[in-house]
Amino acid sequence: MRFSSYFLKILLPFVCIGFLGANMNAKQSDPEGEFYLLEGKIGQDKLLLYLEMQKTAKDYYTINAKFSDSDSYFMGQIWEQNLSFVLNEENEIKKITGSVKFDKNHFPILETKIDEKKVNFLPSTHRLNTLKFVRIEFKEKKNIEDRFGQREITYKLEDEMFFIPKSLINTQAREKINDIIALGAKDFKHLKQKIQEKHNEQRAKEWDKLSFNTEYARYFGVDYLDDKILSFKITNYQYFGGAHGNVNISPLSFSLKDGSILSNKSEDLFKDVSDPTLLDLILQALVKYDKGEDAARFLEWGGESRKNISLPSEFYLNEKGIKFIWQPYEIASYAEGFISVVLDFDSLKPFVKENSVYRYLFEK
């Protein structure tokens, strides 16, 4: 079965530490971390590494890392007493080994080995190369009595928010973006307060009415970053009982020039989302995704008989091209998770609107 990194992530158990107030059934943690954009080279090929470091204990960090042209995450841990690490890819086929040290600005510098090649990753020269984030993890139990008798139910919440600290992008753009992604927080301390207030409001609305196990999770991830655009991928998960929860993802992109939200709707990028030549390219990419099968199962999913595949309503950015992602149940079963393909900029250039804000990506 194929799962995206975010789909796997939401199936992991919640890890909650600490206590909230006097309720010994309530457990909460709000670990904070930083996102870094790092640059390295293998020969003449430049590598961009998206790195998240989250301090979850006094001298303990968890690490998530991915290359800018991939959706596959490498995960691991480091201890401050021993800054060496092994990051394993989700499918455990590849790994990154190395060590980390920090410069005078506490920016990480990685000395790594990838496919037996030594690669050093240094701070990127991009105008925006670091963001802060905070995660709130909360779990509380409740005893209820109903027609099934007395029983215990669980309420779980996991949420995270990003915040852009001072950087080389202009103040107005930074504040405008933070108004959206950080609920208008003015600094990192304020962000932690905002996310706690948001949770308290949600709990107050739902707590007395809860009658079944309930779970909410929302994850932000930097999906693409250059000197003009910052784009997030947001994963939302909800569970209200039953065989499984519901999960969906969505993009959220910003202009680093003025902080405005950029459309990720396919109809705003392409001249004609029904262009048969464009759709045939997408279908051929799905054939490759399906390891050479004829992709008929995607056209026949749900008992339908389509002549061609439909574009997802939204698109995502990738270092190599445009990424198309279908939600669970759109063209395949829930068990397959998110199905995604990437088409390079050159292949898609003839179909892109001339006035699109993303047009410069197709002119490289």
Side-chain angles (χ1 to χ4, degrees), residues 11 21 24 29 123 175 196-197 203 239 275 286 309 335 342 348:
L11 297 179
M24 299 303 288
S29 67
E175 290 180 350
Q196 182 65 64
E197 289 173 352
R203 181 192 177 281
Y239 176 76
D275 187 315
L286 282 170
I309 201 72
V342 176
L348 293 175

Side-chain angles (χ1 to χ4, degrees), residues 305-318:
S305 182
R306 308 176 187 88
K307 291 183 178 180
N308 214 328
I309 201 72
S310 296
L311 277 183
S313 60
E314 296 178 307
F315 65 89
Y316 301 76
L317 299 176
N318 181 284

Side-chain angles (χ1 to χ4, degrees), residues 32-89:
E32 57 189 65
E34 295 203 39
F35 163 89
Y36 302 99
L37 180 60
L38 304 176
E39 293 182 3
K41 273 190 175 183
I42 294 182
Q44 296 301 312
D45 296 328
K46 185 171 76 170
L47 297 176
L48 289 176
L49 186 69
Y50 294 178
L51 179 74
E52 286 185 5
M53 295 185 66
Q54 181 181 5
K55 195 167 187 177
T56 53
K58 182 179 179 181
D59 56 357
Y60 175 81
Y61 291 88
T62 59
I63 299 178
N64 287 322
K66 81 178 188 77
F67 295 106
S68 60
D69 61 352
S70 171
D71 265 347
S72 185
Y73 271 81
F74 294 81
M75 295 172 283
Q77 303 86 30
I78 61 171
W79 288 262
E80 288 184 341
Q81 294 92 337
N82 178 11
L83 294 178
S84 61
F85 58 79
V86 177
L87 303 182
N88 291 300
E89 195 177 19

Side-chain angles (χ1 to χ4, degrees), residues 142 144 153-155 206-212 214 216:
K142 177 182 180 181
I144 66 170
I153 61 173
T154 302
Y155 174 81
E206 299 185 355
W207 184 251
D208 290 338
K209 297 182 289 185
L210 288 179
S211 59
F212 40 76
T214 300
Y216 296 100

